[in-house]
């Protein structure tokens, strides 16, 4: 009679917010990008996916995935690629040591929960696929490094590869057709520059949804400026950003972060038909950051926007008052401030029209900071 | 005793709306552009500047300019350049024919009136400088061709050089340092393709004003995508647009018009700090045009945006119902429709959210069409 035991392992994995943006695939099937990217991993105390991976002969024969209590389709090519690659690594272990249970042959049951709203446009697929890959790797007792696992997570969701590390993470685009050198590496651990803070302004407006996968494809096919970004602009930004992080130079970090976000959204609006993620609320957030920096006389805050209207504002802990404090002074009635002890400051430095737009368009703020990579946990969701 | 006679001449001049955009100066003093451009001249029945130029020994000794009854500063380098160049051409005539009165030595009095709100962001400086140059050229009885005068008008306001012609007009960027080959030429007269219509949606929102002169300078200095636009994208669009106009191919005309507008605004948002002219209202107009074209199964309407939130929508007369009629069906309560007999059509093809944004954000529409160049008039404003 077959072994009916339930094997399981759990992990949490973080969200990451890119400061050099991933946009454009050179191979859609393998999620190989047209350019390298860099992100900051955010603290799992504030934003994380918690995932338990289990396998057992007692399970129904098909693999399953439950996200926030809703069954998910696992037959898609991306999830299948992750399962297949991880099973293959487990099968190699089993082949080299016959005492190991044959987990690679058992159905998988994955249960996942986010501690933040999935639909808020907070890069949930990155945390989700990083947690899925890390949890199964734990279950299978794989000895693969985070960089080795990043090759697999990338096939689930491109930016997921960066969520396998904490701190400051680069996804090197690689050049090989099989994607074996398209991998995430650590630029610096969180401990190198632990004072990096992030204030996320979550926008209420529903944007017409353009999925990032189809959006990227259209940009690569139609934007007449995109090639310049991929070939010239991003390589320059990658170099500048790695240097800024290594030297903990916030002014350089902030300038590249803002120029990168602008460059990415510019190639979106240069797409035909144009793709637009930033709305009047997003641009009011840009205005607020510009006003804060003007008042400080230097770059102390840096905005960045992903494929949606939410603003992520990076700043250093020492400037909490003049960045988060000033924003709280203007947006104090919005929920989310209670998670940290931020003292509201006078916000008369901010443009009143921007503040009005933000008060109408922002539903909540999230206060967080640079954080660690996936963390193994004994807390099971099964 | 000096001749006390008042010499005068009057003209009207049109607005033009570019379909290949001018953005970026290679020489700010001479208004030499980084790329060529093409525009459609709009009918003076709807939008025009009316200007009378007069000179007399009886006038106060300094030149003067009255615009819509307000005295304007004429000491700026641009206005001075126009006065100087025109006087120099007149002086040459006087030198060759001693019977001519010495108008070049007399103070100028210019009186100008727009038949549309100056501040509505409707390229009033183009019509203004074209009218000023044309009126003085009439006063001085210069035999210079519109192309020759375009060299002078360009120094007043870059895009003014295109308002010296009717129909479809190219501004060839030229290569010479002295700007002598940076001139406007006719691509096709209005009579070649007289069915071109324009629906202008005038937006109420006050944008933070970034003057186009300083904006252009910042774009050239900081946008990492701009050079690609000037060197590669615009030359391609110029070729495609000239062909589309010559062949009266609206689908090609419309596609290049929209991609050009997007490309221009993308280099604005890629500027650091970013420049933004299109707001949520502008983007709702983009959505409406996309919906109209989707319904038609081809490009029958084309949006373009200048340095402000107003939308200009080009379409052909035969498609009045499915373009202007559908927009009227959604925006019928806005003023301006009374100037033409447009039948409101069902607008259920349009996104309801876009229609809501437009109804809140559009103050008036202007219905117009391709039109003639400057027209001499005996109607004096003095």
């Amino acid at each position: 009679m077959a072994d009916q035991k339930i094997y399981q392992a759990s992990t949490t994995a973080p969200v990451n917010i890119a400061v050099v943006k991933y946009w454009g695939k050179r191979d859609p099937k393998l999620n190989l990008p047209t350019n390298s990217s860099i992100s900051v991993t955010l603290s799992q105390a504030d934003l994380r996916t918690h995932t338990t991976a289990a396998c057992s002969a007692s399970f129904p024969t098909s693999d399953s995935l439950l996200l926030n209590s809703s069954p998910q389709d696992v037959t898609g090519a991306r999830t299948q690629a992750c399962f297949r690659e991880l099973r293959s690594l487990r099968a190699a272990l089993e082949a080299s040591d016959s005492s190991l249970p044959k987990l690679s042959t058992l159905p998988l049951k994955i249960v996942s929960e986010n501690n933040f709203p999935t639909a808020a446009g907070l890069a949930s697929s990155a945390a989700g696929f990083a947690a899925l890959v890390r949890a199964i790797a734990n279950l299978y007792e794989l000895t693969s490094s985070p960089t080795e696992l990043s090759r697999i997570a990338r096939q689930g969701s491109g930016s997921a590869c960066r969520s396998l590390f904490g701190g400051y993470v680069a996804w090197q685009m690689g050049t090989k057709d099989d994607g074996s050198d398209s991998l995430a590496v650590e630029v610096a651990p969180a401990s190198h520059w632990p004072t990096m803070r992030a204030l996320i302004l979550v926008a209420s407006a529903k944007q017409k949804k353009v999925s990032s996968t189809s959006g990227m494809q259209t940009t690569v096919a139609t934007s007449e400026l995109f090639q310049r970004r991929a070939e010239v602009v991003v390589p320059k930004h990658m170099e500048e950003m790695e240097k800024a992080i290594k030297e903990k130079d916030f002014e350089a970090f902030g300038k590249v972060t803002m120029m990168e976000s602008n460059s990415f959204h510019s190639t979106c609006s240069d797409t035909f038909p144009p793709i637009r993620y930033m709305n009047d609320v997003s641009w009011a957030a840009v205005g607020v950051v510009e006003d804060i920096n003007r008042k400080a006389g230097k770059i102390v805050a840096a905005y960045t926007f992903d494929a949606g209207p939410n603003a992520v504002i990076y700043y250093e802990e020492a400037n909490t008052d003049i960045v988060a404090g000033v924003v709280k002074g203007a947006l104090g009635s919005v929920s989310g401030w209670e998670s940290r002890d931020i003292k509201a400051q006078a916000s008369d430095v901010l443009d009143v029209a921007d503040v009005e737009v933000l008060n109408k368009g922002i539903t909540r703020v999230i206060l967080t900071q640079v954080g660690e990579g996936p963390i193994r946990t004994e807390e099971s969701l099964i």
Side-chain angles (χ1 to χ4, degrees), chain A residues 26-277:
Chain A
R26 67 174 202 274
D27 182 326
K29 190 159 162 280
L30 290 171
N31 267 350
L32 300 182
T34 48
N35 58 254
S36 299
S37 53
I38 294 183
S39 57
V40 179
T41 295
L42 299 184
S43 169
Q44 295 172 68
D46 305 299
L47 300 167
R48 56 132 187 85
T49 298
H50 177 185
T51 296
T52 297
C55 60
S56 172
S58 69
F59 288 167
T61 52
S62 57
D63 301 328
S64 68
L65 169 58
L66 214 59
L67 171 60
N68 293 338
S69 308
S70 296
Q72 307 290 308
D73 177 21
V74 295
T75 62
R78 293 157 164 237
T79 311
Q80 286 297 311
C82 293
F83 288 174
R84 186 177 59 245
E85 297 262 11
L86 290 160
R87 280 198 166 102
S88 156
L89 292 176
R90 171 68 188 185
L93 277 187
E94 292 162 0
S96 68
D97 179 353
S98 62
S99 74
L100 291 174
K102 301 287 182 289
L103 303 189
S104 66
T105 64
L106 300 178
L108 283 162
K109 180 184 286 186
I110 316 289
V111 183
S112 214
E113 280 176 8
N114 294 334
N115 68 345
F116 57 91
T118 306
L122 289 165
S124 55
S125 69
F129 272 103
L132 178 143
V133 169
R134 185 71 260 180
I136 299 175
N138 291 351
L139 170 70
Y140 287 171
E141 297 182 331
L142 303 180
T143 55
S144 313
S145 69
T147 288
E148 288 166 325
L149 293 178
S150 77
R151 185 183 58 80
I152 301 176
R154 185 201 74 225
Q155 296 174 62
S157 170
S159 55
C161 71
R162 296 186 310 240
S163 276
L164 289 166
F165 288 91
Y168 303 84
V169 188
W171 174 9
Q172 295 168 335
M173 63 178 288
T175 55
K176 293 185 184 168
D177 282 349
D178 68 359
S180 57
D181 59 348
S182 186
L183 303 167
V185 296
E186 184 184 89
V187 175
S191 59
H192 165 73
W193 197 3
T195 51
M196 182 67 72
R197 297 290 176 270
L199 165 61
I200 305 176
L201 307 182
V202 181
S204 58
K206 279 174 197 65
Q207 290 296 100
K208 281 177 207 166
K209 187 71 192 157
V210 178
S211 89
S212 55
T213 294
S214 79
M216 284 182 198
Q217 302 286 73
T218 316
T219 299
V220 173
T222 67
S223 167
E224 296 163 321
L225 300 174
F226 176 74
Q227 193 187 353
R228 174 77 167 209
R229 168 168 163 78
E231 291 176 3
V232 178
V233 178
V234 174
K236 177 170 164 278
H237 288 172
M238 285 295 293
E239 205 169 297
E240 292 168 342
M241 184 56 82
E242 292 203 25
K243 183 166 180 285
I245 291 168
K246 280 172 180 155
E247 296 176 355
K248 295 184 267 188
D249 176 351
F250 190 86
E251 285 208 70
F253 172 92
K255 186 172 182 189
V256 178
T257 294
M258 294 187 280
M259 291 186 78
E260 251 301 305
S261 178
N262 295 337
S263 173
F264 153 50
H265 290 281
S266 297
T267 58
C268 288
S269 57
D270 186 56
T271 301
F272 192 77
I275 299 168
R276 178 185 179 235
Y277 292 117

Side-chain angles (χ1 to χ4, degrees), chain A residues 274-295:
Chain A
I275 299 168
R276 178 185 179 235
Y277 292 117
M278 291 173 69
N279 60 17
D280 282 0
V281 176
S282 314
W283 282 98
V286 169
V288 158
V289 168
E290 289 177 345
D291 287 342
I292 287 171
N293 288 335
R294 192 175 299 115
K295 169 77 174 175

